[in-house]
Amino acid sequence: MVCMEDLQVRNMSRSAAGSAGAPGRNVRAKSALSRSILDQGWFEFRRQLEYKLAWNGGLLILVPPHHSSRECPVCGHTEAGNRRTQARFCCLECGYSEHADRVGAINVLAGAPRGSLWIDFARSRGVGPGTRRSESGERSCGAPAP
């Protein structure tokens, strides 16, 4: 079983030039990002993965990508402020702190049908209430106490 975000590559690589009446902003940066996305071959990777999994009896589960890197896997609080930097996640509600990519992966896995795989993963990683706090009860990311 492989879980991945159902990213809309076509929409992500769409032109940002706009029109004569409503010109786009940051067109050069968006163009470079689009070129990078297409060069990586995300769509082809997904297509090949789906093909190989089907060939070998595996399962590809596509999970909606909405807020996967902003939602706390512990308390479910979703806010843009939970992810202040590209690499760091810190829940403003409960104080859970972790690398942002790991939080995204946990949330993608959580978006798949729940079962013993998710429960075992969560237990083995220490995901749950009260994690990532110091002995004094202070949150590791400086989030205000409730």
Side-chain angles (χ1 to χ4, degrees), residues 68-80:
S68 64
S69 64
R70 294 179 176 179
E71 181 180 346
C72 179
V74 174
C75 70
H77 178 72
T78 303
E79 185 177 329

Side-chain angles (χ1 to χ4, degrees), residues 11-75:
N11 295 345
M12 294 172 69
S13 59
R14 187 173 289 157
S15 173
S19 64
R25 296 185 320 223
N26 298 327
V27 175
R28 182 172 285 167
K30 174 67 173 140
S31 175
L33 177 62
S34 295
R35 190 169 30 259
S36 175
I37 289 170
L38 293 173
D39 285 346
Q40 294 298 317
W42 291 356
F43 180 79
E44 181 63 17
F45 173 75
R46 174 180 154 180
R47 192 183 74 75
Q48 285 289 325
L49 183 62
E50 192 170 9
Y51 166 75
K52 298 288 185 178
L53 285 168
W55 183 268
N56 292 303
L59 177 64
L60 178 64
I61 297 175
L62 299 173
V63 178
H66 308 294
H67 305 295
S68 64
S69 64
R70 294 179 176 179
E71 181 180 346
C72 179
V74 174
C75 70

Side-chain angles (χ1 to χ4, degrees), residues 59-122:
L59 177 64
L60 178 64
I61 297 175
L62 299 173
V63 178
H66 308 294
H67 305 295
S68 64
S69 64
R70 294 179 176 179
E71 181 180 346
C72 179
V74 174
C75 70
H77 178 72
T78 303
E79 185 177 329
N82 285 349
R83 187 168 175 186
R84 294 184 190 148
T85 67
Q86 181 68 23
R88 212 65 213 148
F89 175 92
C90 182
C91 180
L92 298 175
E93 188 71 24
C94 73
Y96 177 74
S97 179
E98 185 61 81
H99 192 280
D101 289 339
R102 185 180 198 129
V103 168
I106 290 169
N107 287 333
V108 167
L109 185 59
R114 296 204 182 236
S116 61
L117 176 67
W118 163 247
I119 293 167
D120 293 342
F121 177 80

